[in-house]
Amino acid sequence: MNDTKTKILDVAEGLVQRVGLNAMSYQHVSDAVGVRKASIHHHFPKKENLVEALLERCHFSYGDNYQTIVDGAGSAPDKLRQLAAVFADGLQKQQLCLVGTISADLNTLSESSRQALEATIQETVNIFVIVFKQGQQEDSLSFSSLAEEAAYAFFSFLLGAQISARACGGEESFRNATEAIISSWEN
Amino acid sequence: MNDTKTKILDVAEGLVQRVGLNAMSYQHVSDAVGVRKASIHHHFPKKENLVEALLERCHFSYGDNYQTIVDGAGSAPDKLRQLAAVFADGLQKQQLCLVGTISADLNTLSESSRQALEATIQETVNIFVIVFKQGQQEDSLSFSSLAEEAAYAFFSFLLGAQISARACGGEESFRNATEAIISSWEN
DNA sequence: GCATGCCTACCTACTGATAGGTTGGTTGCC
DNA sequence: GGCAACCAACCTATCAGTAGGTAGGCATGC
């Protein structure tokens, strides 16, 4: 992969996570990368191309990140705490989960970006589901709903907690809230 | 309260909830209200004034809304479901909780707006806390964390679930996820 | 060996649209 | 008269996106 192109994606990703999609401009990216704005357009003609590239990359980087945790050793509650820790890391840098910020601007997205977003969310939740199924099998987690629903709920909680903790309460509130959720499922 | 001023706030609120703070412009508001852009500036000189007015109003309207539910008859789990239903109503209109959308754009806010936001979140969580304390007293809810932490977690979950459900899964996913969370606390 | 053609990466310079915000009024009510 | 509400016209900054061009790498054919 081209070096500049990767740098553009890195910078854009950080900006979107910090200030949101609509406050991230090609000029900001251009300044930070050190190439002219037209060069950003050379690599990503329209903003929606950039957004979709970000989502695709997220699917192959964050997805791997989650997958590693899920595939690792340890109990299901442990793995939920590790997944939450990924979100806590972002929070520390005042950054939201990419999927979360982009979802917040859903109604300003193109149709193709919306579809890319939906697919990324679905795949992320699918990875989370594995932990809840493990929890059922080893009897370390108890929940009356389906594993799919619990995984979706947990992912949603992490998105929301990151947003509210950044605005009010910070990392400590995030940790406490996470523990409040996980312990309610833990056996 | 002035009629036009109220109409401006109504329109702005809906826009922010639908497309987000940075995609809501004075021109959009002006078009929808039927007065000129300069008149919006007459009532709210800077955008941050509008934002703060929205948050204040939210504190006195949504806050009342929540308070009515909390003060009503019924068990604590029932009240949690009623609170969730308020968020489900917004979702149906493709609208996010005002506090949620504004929080997503936290890093583009002025300092005073940030403080107004923080206060609104804190007061909202404080209302939610009452339900969790009721749940402890009547033994209808069980959680190992503090009522404050559980309330914060529940509010965070609702924010996140609204965002993820709008992007992926819709109202049904929202309902299922809500049930997955509430039932884990329910006795 | 080298000229031709094509490609990628990047540039300067620009466009039209829109953003938030200001100035200097006019109108009508207390 | 004074004030609140409103307006047309304007400002500057910035947005996404485009036009047109340059420099260098790499292949082809002679």
mmCIF file of all heavy atoms in Angstrom, chain A residues 138-157:
data_model
loop_
_atom_site.group_PDB
_atom_site.id
_atom_site.type_symbol
_atom_site.label_atom_id
_atom_site.label_comp_id
_atom_site.label_asym_id
_atom_site.label_seq_id
_atom_site.Cartn_x
_atom_site.Cartn_y
_atom_site.Cartn_z
ATOM 1 N N GLU A 138 -19.475 -22.217 28.874
ATOM 2 C CA GLU A 138 -18.671 -22.455 30.088
ATOM 3 C C GLU A 138 -19.419 -21.985 31.334
ATOM 4 O O GLU A 138 -18.893 -22.073 32.428
ATOM 5 C CB GLU A 138 -17.304 -21.763 29.954
ATOM 6 C CG GLU A 138 -17.366 -20.248 30.044
ATOM 7 C CD GLU A 138 -16.048 -19.557 29.694
ATOM 8 O OE1 GLU A 138 -15.189 -20.189 29.060
ATOM 9 O OE2 GLU A 138 -15.914 -18.368 30.058
ATOM 10 N N ASP A 139 -20.622 -21.457 31.141
ATOM 11 C CA ASP A 139 -21.484 -21.014 32.243
ATOM 12 C C ASP A 139 -20.857 -19.894 33.070
ATOM 13 O O ASP A 139 -21.088 -19.807 34.274
ATOM 14 C CB ASP A 139 -21.822 -22.215 33.148
ATOM 15 C CG ASP A 139 -23.137 -21.971 33.880
ATOM 16 O OD1 ASP A 139 -24.036 -21.352 33.298
ATOM 17 O OD2 ASP A 139 -23.245 -22.387 35.064
ATOM 18 N N SER A 140 -20.080 -19.041 32.404
ATOM 19 C CA SER A 140 -19.491 -17.905 33.109
ATOM 20 C C SER A 140 -20.346 -16.645 32.947
ATOM 21 O O SER A 140 -20.187 -15.681 33.683
ATOM 22 C CB SER A 140 -18.075 -17.646 32.585
ATOM 23 O OG SER A 140 -18.114 -17.357 31.202
ATOM 24 N N LEU A 141 -21.224 -16.675 31.957
ATOM 25 C CA LEU A 141 -22.151 -15.552 31.746
ATOM 26 C C LEU A 141 -23.578 -16.113 31.777
ATOM 27 O O LEU A 141 -23.826 -17.212 31.281
ATOM 28 C CB LEU A 141 -21.922 -14.901 30.380
ATOM 29 C CG LEU A 141 -20.610 -14.172 30.114
ATOM 30 C CD1 LEU A 141 -20.570 -13.657 28.679
ATOM 31 C CD2 LEU A 141 -20.421 -13.007 31.084
ATOM 32 N N SER A 142 -24.486 -15.321 32.336
ATOM 33 C CA SER A 142 -25.894 -15.737 32.259
ATOM 34 C C SER A 142 -26.747 -14.573 31.772
ATOM 35 O O SER A 142 -26.653 -13.465 32.287
ATOM 36 C CB SER A 142 -26.373 -16.231 33.615
ATOM 37 O OG SER A 142 -26.488 -15.160 34.513
ATOM 38 N N PHE A 143 -27.529 -14.858 30.742
ATOM 39 C CA PHE A 143 -28.435 -13.845 30.191
ATOM 40 C C PHE A 143 -29.614 -14.580 29.581
ATOM 41 O O PHE A 143 -29.465 -15.678 29.034
ATOM 42 C CB PHE A 143 -27.730 -12.972 29.165
ATOM 43 C CG PHE A 143 -26.873 -13.724 28.192
ATOM 44 C CD1 PHE A 143 -27.409 -14.183 26.996
ATOM 45 C CD2 PHE A 143 -25.543 -13.991 28.478
ATOM 46 C CE1 PHE A 143 -26.626 -14.888 26.095
ATOM 47 C CE2 PHE A 143 -24.752 -14.702 27.581
ATOM 48 C CZ PHE A 143 -25.292 -15.153 26.388
ATOM 49 N N SER A 144 -30.786 -13.979 29.694
ATOM 50 C CA SER A 144 -31.997 -14.664 29.249
ATOM 51 C C SER A 144 -32.239 -14.442 27.757
ATOM 52 O O SER A 144 -32.974 -15.186 27.118
ATOM 53 C CB SER A 144 -33.204 -14.181 30.061
ATOM 54 O OG SER A 144 -33.297 -12.777 29.983
ATOM 55 N N SER A 145 -31.596 -13.397 27.178
ATOM 56 C CA SER A 145 -31.788 -13.115 25.756
ATOM 57 C C SER A 145 -30.882 -13.999 24.901
ATOM 58 O O SER A 145 -30.099 -14.789 25.426
ATOM 59 C CB SER A 145 -31.486 -11.640 25.497
ATOM 60 O OG SER A 145 -30.249 -11.293 26.085
ATOM 61 N N LEU A 146 -30.979 -13.836 23.604
ATOM 62 C CA LEU A 146 -30.087 -14.540 22.694
ATOM 63 C C LEU A 146 -28.681 -13.957 22.786
ATOM 64 O O LEU A 146 -28.520 -12.763 23.104
ATOM 65 C CB LEU A 146 -30.582 -14.407 21.243
ATOM 66 C CG LEU A 146 -31.955 -14.994 20.919
ATOM 67 C CD1 LEU A 146 -32.342 -14.672 19.465
ATOM 68 C CD2 LEU A 146 -31.966 -16.501 21.143
ATOM 69 N N ALA A 147 -27.681 -14.771 22.475
ATOM 70 C CA ALA A 147 -26.293 -14.284 22.485
ATOM 71 C C ALA A 147 -26.139 -13.115 21.516
ATOM 72 O O ALA A 147 -25.432 -12.143 21.795
ATOM 73 C CB ALA A 147 -25.343 -15.415 22.113
ATOM 74 N N GLU A 148 -26.818 -13.184 20.368
ATOM 75 C CA GLU A 148 -26.748 -12.120 19.364
ATOM 76 C C GLU A 148 -27.261 -10.801 19.939
ATOM 77 O O GLU A 148 -26.690 -9.731 19.687
ATOM 78 C CB GLU A 148 -27.574 -12.486 18.124
ATOM 79 C CG GLU A 148 -26.949 -13.516 17.217
ATOM 80 C CD GLU A 148 -27.071 -14.945 17.750
ATOM 81 O OE1 GLU A 148 -27.840 -15.160 18.737
ATOM 82 O OE2 GLU A 148 -26.404 -15.843 17.205
ATOM 83 N N GLU A 149 -28.340 -10.887 20.698
ATOM 84 C CA GLU A 149 -28.941 -9.674 21.265
ATOM 85 C C GLU A 149 -28.063 -9.091 22.367
ATOM 86 O O GLU A 149 -27.895 -7.875 22.472
ATOM 87 C CB GLU A 149 -30.354 -9.989 21.795
ATOM 88 C CG GLU A 149 -31.323 -10.338 20.668
ATOM 89 C CD GLU A 149 -32.606 -10.980 21.165
ATOM 90 O OE1 GLU A 149 -32.740 -11.180 22.396
ATOM 91 O OE2 GLU A 149 -33.470 -11.286 20.331
ATOM 92 N N ALA A 150 -27.508 -9.974 23.177
ATOM 93 C CA ALA A 150 -26.630 -9.514 24.260
ATOM 94 C C ALA A 150 -25.369 -8.866 23.674
ATOM 95 O O ALA A 150 -24.915 -7.819 24.161
ATOM 96 C CB ALA A 150 -26.256 -10.676 25.174
ATOM 97 N N ALA A 151 -24.816 -9.460 22.612
ATOM 98 C CA ALA A 151 -23.615 -8.919 21.978
ATOM 99 C C ALA A 151 -23.901 -7.546 21.387
ATOM 100 O O ALA A 151 -23.109 -6.612 21.530
ATOM 101 C CB ALA A 151 -23.118 -9.872 20.891
ATOM 102 N N TYR A 152 -25.042 -7.434 20.730
ATOM 103 C CA TYR A 152 -25.463 -6.153 20.155
ATOM 104 C C TYR A 152 -25.621 -5.119 21.271
ATOM 105 O O TYR A 152 -25.191 -3.963 21.137
ATOM 106 C CB TYR A 152 -26.778 -6.343 19.399
ATOM 107 C CG TYR A 152 -27.292 -5.138 18.664
ATOM 108 C CD1 TYR A 152 -27.034 -4.963 17.305
ATOM 109 C CD2 TYR A 152 -28.044 -4.161 19.314
ATOM 110 C CE1 TYR A 152 -27.518 -3.860 16.622
ATOM 111 C CE2 TYR A 152 -28.528 -3.053 18.633
ATOM 112 C CZ TYR A 152 -28.261 -2.909 17.291
ATOM 113 O OH TYR A 152 -28.744 -1.805 16.622
ATOM 114 N N ALA A 153 -26.222 -5.532 22.372
ATOM 115 C CA ALA A 153 -26.431 -4.626 23.509
ATOM 116 C C ALA A 153 -25.098 -4.185 24.097
ATOM 117 O O ALA A 153 -24.908 -3.005 24.412
ATOM 118 C CB ALA A 153 -27.281 -5.313 24.576
ATOM 119 N N PHE A 154 -24.170 -5.111 24.204
ATOM 120 C CA PHE A 154 -22.865 -4.778 24.789
ATOM 121 C C PHE A 154 -22.101 -3.808 23.892
ATOM 122 O O PHE A 154 -21.531 -2.827 24.372
ATOM 123 C CB PHE A 154 -22.045 -6.057 25.020
ATOM 124 C CG PHE A 154 -20.758 -5.822 25.748
ATOM 125 C CD1 PHE A 154 -20.755 -5.324 27.052
ATOM 126 C CD2 PHE A 154 -19.532 -6.107 25.153
ATOM 127 C CE1 PHE A 154 -19.565 -5.107 27.736
ATOM 128 C CE2 PHE A 154 -18.338 -5.881 25.830
ATOM 129 C CZ PHE A 154 -18.352 -5.384 27.113
ATOM 130 N N PHE A 155 -22.129 -4.074 22.601
ATOM 131 C CA PHE A 155 -21.473 -3.167 21.653
ATOM 132 C C PHE A 155 -22.109 -1.778 21.726
ATOM 133 O O PHE A 155 -21.404 -0.761 21.782
ATOM 134 C CB PHE A 155 -21.564 -3.737 20.230
ATOM 135 C CG PHE A 155 -20.972 -2.848 19.180
ATOM 136 C CD1 PHE A 155 -19.614 -2.636 19.110
ATOM 137 C CD2 PHE A 155 -21.791 -2.218 18.242
ATOM 138 C CE1 PHE A 155 -19.060 -1.811 18.138
ATOM 139 C CE2 PHE A 155 -21.261 -1.394 17.275
ATOM 140 C CZ PHE A 155 -19.884 -1.182 17.219
ATOM 141 N N SER A 156 -23.425 -1.732 21.727
ATOM 142 C CA SER A 156 -24.136 -0.453 21.829
ATOM 143 C C SER A 156 -23.752 0.282 23.107
ATOM 144 O O SER A 156 -23.524 1.496 23.094
ATOM 145 C CB SER A 156 -25.648 -0.681 21.823
ATOM 146 O OG SER A 156 -26.054 -1.236 20.607
ATOM 147 N N PHE A 157 -23.689 -0.475 24.184
ATOM 148 C CA PHE A 157 -23.297 0.143 25.456
ATOM 149 C C PHE A 157 -21.912 0.774 25.358
ATOM 150 O O PHE A 157 -21.704 1.900 25.802
ATOM 151 C CB PHE A 157 -23.321 -0.880 26.594
ATOM 152 C CG PHE A 157 -22.512 -0.447 27.772
ATOM 153 C CD1 PHE A 157 -22.980 0.548 28.621
ATOM 154 C CD2 PHE A 157 -21.246 -0.991 28.010
ATOM 155 C CE1 PHE A 157 -22.221 0.987 29.694
ATOM 156 C CE2 PHE A 157 -20.473 -0.556 29.065
ATOM 157 C CZ PHE A 157 -20.961 0.430 29.912
#
